Amino acid sequence: MADPRIVIVGAGPAGTRAAEAFVRHGLRPVVIDEAQRSGGQIYRRQPPGFSRPAKAVYGFEAGRAEGVHGAFDALAGSIDHRPETLVWNIQAGAVHTAPAGGGAVGRVEYDALILATGACDRVIPFPGWTTAGVYTLGAAQIALKYQACAIGGRVVFMGTGPLLYLVAYQYAKAGAKVAAVLDTTTFATKLGALRRLLAVPQAFLKGLYYLGWLRRHGVAIHEGVTPVRAEGEQAVTAMVFRTARGQERRIECDAVGFGYGLQSETQLADLVGCSFVYEPHSRQWLPEADADGRSSVAGVYLAGDGRRVRGADFAEMAGELAALAVLHDVGRPAAGDRLAELRRGLDRGLRWGGALQAVFPVPHRFLGDLPAETVLCRCEGVTVGDARRAVDDLDAREINRAKALSRIGMGRCQGRYCGLSAATILAETAGADPSTAMRLRGQAPVKPIPLTQQEVPS
């Protein structure tokens, strides 16, 4: 019997551990990834010629990052690694690819497919968020981690979630001036859900360390804030916000990093036909899967933050567990004790993810108060007012209908950054539950490719 053809999309923590499990069982998977080197966003490696020590790049996570990097490097020759390769479609049992730098597109058939697509920043727009010098927290961290660049010399970090404090700490530690940390979550909200964070005490203690370090080094931290606007014509010059007591404050800066946690990258799961379920805290529709990662589509498995955001440590477990599920399904079962161990670990991850949602809730409430002229979809220049008019004037209460009539989410990012906020605005305008606006349907190509490309067989 021939070996099953296995494709893994993503070479971050989940993809790495999945590939490792297959190799351990005598199989040679194809691993496709957009980046030049493995590691994913969380453990993104430095480009050639950069040689900062791991501790300087990853801080407390240096050991885990080096572990994931080392595990992937040890697979060289045992896997078919295709770096700098975009997956732009999945159809009829084949993954359609294109070189990130241009060239002939390709097609890779599979018997089993693991989607380890990771997550991206959760964005809630505010007036001025498209001004030059305003970045997402993820982008700010990549600039520092990848090429040791800061997004500015005097930076305001705003939003909520563990990444907010981590990135502010990393910038301050690297020598950048952190003008302020503006947290949209109130202290009372955090305190009320604090005990749930003890599901993962190490992560909880790291968060306390970042917070204490920032305070000790004189970084101003404001909790319970509301963003008002980023000021500046050619580039951002200041961030204006309201304090928890309603006072308007202005902080001069030359860069803003903002974000409200992470959201799962689900477009490929959508293209392959997975069923989705609504998750009310994040207001995101997520692909369904069983405890081991089997999706609703035979032969397709989901792992890591692309299925549900739980963090890198749990993504490693999810990747290995999905690989073991594949092995079981193709008649090569793995040891039961390892399966049980991984399932227990992911249960803990589920509790941790739920705790983070309670401690650092996404401030959906801001969307209802945004001025009509605020840009919502930056790819197409669609404003919040345009979205509201799609409901009021065109009866477009469902987001795909609103997309057709207003161009929300029709740009090159295909609604990655505006889709969730747009759905909430549509629902609130219609006076309906947010879930009724549904989700943007994935459309190939999910990544921009030249129209002149012709597909060649793998």
Side-chain angles (χ1 to χ4, degrees), residues 46 61 99 138 147 166 224 229 251 255 267 309 316 324 347 357 374 379 384 399-400 404 406 421 423:
Q46 300 171 83
E61 307 304 324
Q147 292 185 312
L166 172 61
R229 63 184 175 277
I251 297 179
Q267 289 174 312
V309 175
E316 289 185 52
L324 297 184
D347 279 346
Q357 287 179 325
T374 306
C379 295
V384 169
I399 193 165
N400 292 289
S406 71
S421 294

Side-chain angles (χ1 to χ4, degrees), residues 247-270:
Q247 298 164 323
E248 193 163 296
R249 299 278 300 275
R250 179 179 184 276
I251 297 179
E252 292 187 355
C253 61
D254 60 9
V256 174
F258 81 105
Y260 300 92
L262 300 174
Q263 64 184 53
S264 299
E265 285 273 19
T266 63
Q267 289 174 312
L268 293 181
D270 196 9

Side-chain angles (χ1 to χ4, degrees), residues 54-73:
K55 188 71 178 174
V57 179
Y58 308 108
F60 287 130
E61 307 304 324
R64 294 205 75 96
E66 289 182 311
V68 171
H69 294 163
F72 194 90
D73 292 346

Side-chain angles (χ1 to χ4, degrees), residues 103-420:
V105 297
R107 182 173 179 274
V108 187
E109 295 183 347
Y110 63 83
D111 298 307
L113 170 67
I114 292 183
L115 296 176
T117 48
C120 63
D121 289 281
R122 177 74 165 94
V123 169
I124 289 188
F126 57 91
W129 74 284
T130 57
T131 305
V134 180
Y135 297 78
T136 64
L137 287 174
Q141 191 184 47
I142 286 171
L144 188 64
K145 193 183 297 182
Y146 190 56
Q147 292 185 312
C149 294
I151 59 173
R154 181 178 169 82
V155 187
V156 168
F157 290 104
M158 183 182 71
T160 197
L163 193 60
L164 173 67
Y165 292 96
L166 172 61
V167 178
Y169 164 77
Q170 290 172 327
Y171 265 67
K173 194 82 188 304
K177 171 64 178 176
V178 177
V181 175
L182 308 179
D183 191 339
T184 56
T185 303
T186 64
F187 178 74
T189 300
K190 295 175 192 171
L191 194 63
L194 205 55
R195 289 184 62 185
R196 297 180 61 182
L197 287 181
L198 294 177
V200 183
Q202 300 93 332
F204 172 66
L205 291 174
K206 275 187 277 190
L208 284 183
Y209 176 84
Y210 298 140
L211 181 61
W213 191 97
L214 289 166
R215 289 194 187 282
R216 284 198 309 276
H217 288 79
V219 176
I221 297 174
H222 301 270
E223 296 173 303
V225 309
T226 300
V228 175
R229 63 184 175 277
E231 293 184 344
E233 293 294 330
Q234 301 301 316
V236 64
T237 56
M239 184 68 214
V240 181
F241 65 99
R242 275 196 302 277
T243 67
R245 295 185 175 183
Q247 298 164 323
E248 193 163 296
R249 299 278 300 275
R250 179 179 184 276
I251 297 179
E252 292 187 355
C253 61
D254 60 9
V256 174
F258 81 105
Y260 300 92
L262 300 174
Q263 64 184 53
S264 299
E265 285 273 19
T266 63
Q267 289 174 312
L268 293 181
D270 196 9
L271 287 183
V272 81
C274 293
S275 59
F276 280 62
V277 63
Y278 186 69
E279 199 290 304
H281 291 287
S282 64
R283 299 191 179 179
Q284 184 175 17
W285 289 83
L286 296 172
E288 288 187 291
D290 72 8
D292 296 347
R294 295 179 185 86
S295 78
S296 59
V297 177
V300 177
Y301 303 77
L302 307 170
D305 286 350
R307 174 189 175 191
R308 183 180 287 269
V309 175
R310 286 179 282 205
D313 297 0
F314 299 107
E316 289 185 52
M317 298 180 197
E320 182 180 354
L321 186 56
L324 297 184
V326 172
L327 291 165
H328 177 275
D329 295 347
V330 300
R332 301 187 185 192
D337 53 350
R338 182 58 180 159
L339 281 169
E341 182 183 353
L342 291 168
R343 287 167 183 157
R344 284 195 300 273
L346 284 177
D347 279 346
R348 198 158 54 94
L350 202 57
R351 294 197 298 276
W352 170 248
L356 288 182
Q357 287 179 325
V359 175
F360 301 108
V362 178
H364 305 289
R365 65 187 184 282
F366 293 163
L367 293 164
D369 296 328
L370 285 177
E373 64 274 16
T374 306
V375 173
L376 172 61
C377 168
R378 68 185 305 168
C379 295
E380 294 292 316
V382 179
T383 66
V384 169
D386 294 331
R388 291 172 181 154
R389 281 191 290 276
V391 176
D392 292 336
D393 300 345
L394 306 171
D395 197 28
R397 299 167 181 239
E398 192 271 334
I399 193 165
N400 292 289
R401 177 172 167 79
K403 174 183 176 180
L405 298 176
S406 71
R407 300 190 66 81
I408 295 172
M410 202 173 279
R412 62 180 293 151
C413 90
Q414 298 231 4
R416 268 190 189 85
Y417 296 104
C418 69
L420 297 184

